[in-house]
Amino acid sequence: MAIQQTLSIIKPDATRRNLTGQINAKLEEAGLKIIAQKRLLITKELAKEFYAVHAERSFYDDLCTNMTLGPIVVQVLEGEDAIQTNREIMGATNPSNAFPGTIRYEFGESIDFNSVHGSDSPANAVQEIAFFFSKIELCR
Ligand code: ATP
Ligand code: MG
């Protein structure tokens, strides 16, 4: 395994419930280092661009709206096998299928309000990190 970087987003449902610190603690306990982080309010247009890969899905419009309902925290995580490690600590997309101990099991409200996003492949991680961060914002 190699050291990787991945993009993580703490979604509006979680920032609204003041869960940023508790989610960050889980990421750090899983061995991931938060090497960049910022809190943003994004427009629906930006959410649509970010989630363009899902444009044909029935949930696309709701997903993009939901990302604008409050602040998001975008972050770059670094660590051994970071993409998969983050997916594991996030838990299943639908919180009712997530394992105990995962972020979505503990904090997710529903599939629409599942508290976090994480890149799902090395290529997407590179693209998603570049979407929100410039190189000089990553502090290792
Ligand atoms: P994410 O991309 O947010 O890390 P994921 O990779 O587990 O989550 P995707 O299939 O990429 O899931 O879907 C992106 C987001 O769209 C999910 O996090 C969820 O909020 C929403 N979503 C996915 N599938 C559904 C669905 N069947 N119905 C409603 N919303 C969905
Ligand atoms: Mg995904």
Side-chain angles (χ1 to χ4, degrees):
M1 286 305 141
I3 299 291
Q4 293 178 325
Q5 294 174 352
T6 189
L7 184 85
S8 166
I9 304 178
I10 302 177
K11 294 185 178 182
D13 72 86
T15 62
R16 173 175 49 81
R17 288 176 288 145
N18 216 18
L19 293 171
T20 301
Q22 290 182 68
I23 290 173
N24 281 351
K26 284 208 169 281
L27 298 173
E28 292 181 343
E29 280 159 19
L32 294 164
K33 184 171 177 181
I34 301 165
I35 63 165
Q37 174 168 269
K38 54 193 174 189
R39 184 171 162 105
L40 304 170
L41 265 174
I42 62 169
T43 60
K44 185 155 179 187
E45 285 61 43
L46 199 79
K48 287 173 88 168
E49 197 182 329
F50 180 75
Y51 278 122
V53 61
H54 293 309
E56 303 307 317
R57 311 285 287 274
S58 58
F59 56 81
Y60 179 60
D61 197 67
D62 285 345
L63 171 63
C64 295
T65 298
N66 293 342
M67 294 299 276
T68 70
L69 296 180
I72 60 172
V73 175
V74 292
Q75 44 193 195
V76 180
L77 310 178
E78 184 176 273
E80 193 76 23
D81 206 15
I83 296 166
Q84 185 58 29
T85 300
N86 184 42
R87 299 287 299 185
E88 283 168 16
I89 192 64
M90 287 166 62
T93 309
N94 188 338
S96 10
N97 299 328
F99 290 122
T102 62
I103 292 167
R104 284 168 167 167
Y105 176 90
E106 289 206 11
F107 305 123
E109 299 179 310
S110 65
I111 193 164
D112 292 298
F113 300 105
N114 59 3
S115 301
V116 281
H117 162 87
S119 307
D120 61 8
S121 70
N124 286 342
V126 168
Q127 193 190 317
E128 292 180 359
I129 290 168
F131 188 90
F132 283 110
F133 292 94
S134 65
K135 213 169 185 177
I136 60 166
E137 292 179 286
L138 312 187
C139 305
R140 306 177 63 221

